[in-house]
Amino acid sequence: MGNTLSAPKFYLVMVSALMLASFSACNETYTPKPRGFFRITFPKHEYRKYDAGDCPYSFEIPVYANVSAYHDSTSQPCWKYILFPRFNAEIFLSYLPVKGGDAQQYFEDARTLAYKHAVKADAIDETILHAGPGVTGMIYDIGGAAASSVQFFVTDSTRNFIRGALYFNVPPQPDSLAPVVAFLRSDIERMMLTTTWK
């Protein structure tokens, strides 16, 4: 029985060992790792013509996109969703015929809808786009944690007006979504530049 420790001495030895281990561990420097995100591989930008049937417009969309009818396609047959399943994203597209002085009101409405995101946005940049005769537009790049990061319109100012907004079906995370937003923005610009009216 000579080598056994009594309970109080055993606890004292254990506490001393733990304190020694904790003091020696404090000498190591710890560097926190930055937050990481999944690597996203992007497909090659390839396009196909989308003809909207009875609707008075057509444009090019990426081969990795699908077009779906608006949920109330009876009352708004020319409103569409351009879906990007690979990125869990969609562009909501609305079409309005221009009559009389409607165009100026549509421009203001598009700007108002874009700037509704100013509450969550870091910045909103406006880029005018001239695609040739009969096609003019504006792209709104909305930075920060806004629900929609890109909005736009394209028009001929006399008969046709299309407005679009890019949405992701995930909570807004500007850092992780930034590469996808940049990738899809180039598709939006291509769509605008290739718009033709019937």
Side-chain angles (χ1 to χ4, degrees), residues 167-179:
Y167 293 98
F168 290 90
N169 297 313
V170 295
Q173 297 175 344
D175 292 340
S176 62
L177 291 177

Side-chain angles (χ1 to χ4, degrees), residues 35-191:
R35 189 176 188 171
F37 300 103
F38 291 109
R39 179 182 170 87
I40 301 168
T41 55
F42 294 105
K44 184 179 176 185
H45 286 290
E46 293 182 89
Y47 300 94
R48 63 185 166 88
K49 184 174 180 180
Y50 170 70
D51 189 323
D54 292 338
C55 299
Y57 59 82
S58 66
F59 43 74
E60 291 183 5
I61 62 171
V63 296
Y64 41 84
N66 304 314
V67 179
S68 175
Y70 180 60
H71 70 269
D72 188 4
S73 59
T74 305
S75 66
Q76 299 294 348
C78 294
W79 291 22
K80 308 289 180 185
Y81 295 104
I82 301 174
L83 308 171
F84 300 89
R86 182 174 187 155
F87 304 113
N88 202 13
E90 67 186 27
I91 295 171
F92 173 61
L93 205 68
S94 56
Y95 169 81
L96 296 168
V98 175
K99 297 172 186 171
D102 286 349
Q104 189 59 42
Q105 184 60 52
Y106 294 163
F107 299 155
E108 291 302 318
D109 291 345
R111 188 173 195 280
T112 299
L113 288 167
Y115 276 84
K116 277 191 174 180
H117 296 276
V119 175
K120 294 277 188 177
D122 295 338
I124 299 178
D125 295 325
E126 300 178 6
T127 305
I128 297 172
L129 185 132
H130 295 289
V135 180
T136 303
M138 174 84 74
I139 301 177
Y140 298 94
D141 293 297
I142 304 168
S148 175
S149 41
V150 180
Q151 296 197 15
F152 62 94
F153 69 81
V154 62
T155 184
D156 61 5
S157 300
T158 56
R159 293 185 306 144
N160 304 289
F161 186 91
I162 295 173
R163 182 186 169 275
L166 173 66
Y167 293 98
F168 290 90
N169 297 313
V170 295
Q173 297 175 344
D175 292 340
S176 62
L177 291 177
V180 182
V181 170
F183 183 81
L184 294 179
R185 188 195 185 280
S186 64
D187 292 336
I188 289 169
E189 195 166 329
R190 175 68 174 251
M191 187 184 88

